Amino acid sequence: IALHNKLLDKDAYSYQAWFNLGHAHFCKREYKKAAESYDFSFTINEKFEPSYRDCAESLMHLGEFLEAASVYKRAIRNTGANAFLYLQVGTCYEELEQYYDAREFYLKAAKQDPQNGETYFRIGETYVKEDRWVNAISAYRKAIKLDELNPKFYAAIAETFYQLDEVDN
């Protein structure tokens, strides 16, 4: 922290120094200070996607999911859309229990990266939280088809069948 503060004393507009200062604070679990440092970094260089990602992650650690979603959306606007950013926005909305909005972003992530089973798993999880079991099964099946070795996908679909009382004795 001291090193990067010295660097910033010499050049307050060094987005890399602000970014590294953010990492230093993050490693010390000083998430608010980390988020502030990352914010300076992407304010100076609005095309530097890692600052947005890490800022939003810091905010998520603080439970500030709406603000984190806003940072991820700003990254999408300024650096371009990608599956990771869409997935993260969806995660923020899921944490806020805004499942429809979460699915909207998960579906955007799926369009960007249709081979990511985690995206379909997250869609299934939102349906489960709404007690929409049949929809969840469909999403979990897609996840399993893409990643046949992920045990959490099988556990989720098994629980869903159990909730529907469709378990063979």
Side-chain angles (χ1 to χ4, degrees):
I1 291 173
L3 168 68
H4 293 295
N5 279 328
K6 276 190 173 190
L7 292 172
L8 289 166
D9 285 342
K10 292 181 180 184
D11 181 7
Y13 295 98
S14 171
Y15 73 94
Q16 291 172 321
W18 282 111
F19 179 69
N20 291 333
L21 179 61
H23 278 302
H25 285 300
F26 190 92
C27 289
K28 292 184 73 177
R29 296 188 174 136
E30 297 171 346
Y31 300 119
K32 189 69 175 168
K33 288 180 180 179
E36 290 169 359
S37 296
Y38 294 132
D39 189 299
F40 280 115
S41 178
F42 67 69
T43 298
I44 294 166
N45 182 352
E46 67 181 21
K47 298 292 185 194
F48 190 58
E49 184 181 315
S51 290
Y52 294 99
R53 289 181 178 207
D54 293 342
C55 180
E57 184 178 347
S58 299
L59 293 167
M60 290 175 77
H61 278 282
L62 294 168
E64 297 178 17
F65 297 105
L66 193 57
E67 182 63 27
S70 176
V71 171
Y72 283 125
K73 288 179 187 177
R74 190 169 167 191
I76 290 167
R77 266 193 323 273
N78 292 333
T79 67
N82 64 55
F84 175 82
L85 294 174
Y86 283 140
L87 189 63
Q88 292 305 104
V89 175
T91 301
C92 291
Y93 282 122
E94 187 175 347
E95 289 291 333
L96 293 166
E97 299 179 359
Q98 296 176 12
Y99 304 122
Y100 178 85
D101 294 328
R103 278 192 300 275
E104 181 180 316
F105 281 92
Y106 291 151
L107 289 170
K108 289 179 181 183
K111 285 181 184 173
Q112 290 278 322
D113 182 7
Q115 300 304 311
N116 186 349
E118 183 68 26
T119 303
Y120 294 100
F121 173 76
R122 298 283 6 126
I123 292 169
E125 292 292 280
T126 64
Y127 284 129
V128 163
K129 291 171 183 169
E130 294 176 326
D131 295 329
R132 296 174 60 189
W133 307 105
V134 174
N135 296 90
I137 289 171
S138 176
Y140 291 147
R141 282 187 171 143
K142 287 180 185 175
I144 289 168
K145 184 177 180 184
L146 293 170
D147 185 357
E148 295 176 346
L149 300 178
N150 194 320
K152 78 177 178 182
F153 297 172
Y154 288 99
I157 201 167
E159 175 64 23
T160 305
F161 278 117
Y162 175 78
Q163 291 298 325
L164 289 171
D165 200 26
E166 292 186 19
V167 179
D168 293 333
N169 291 330

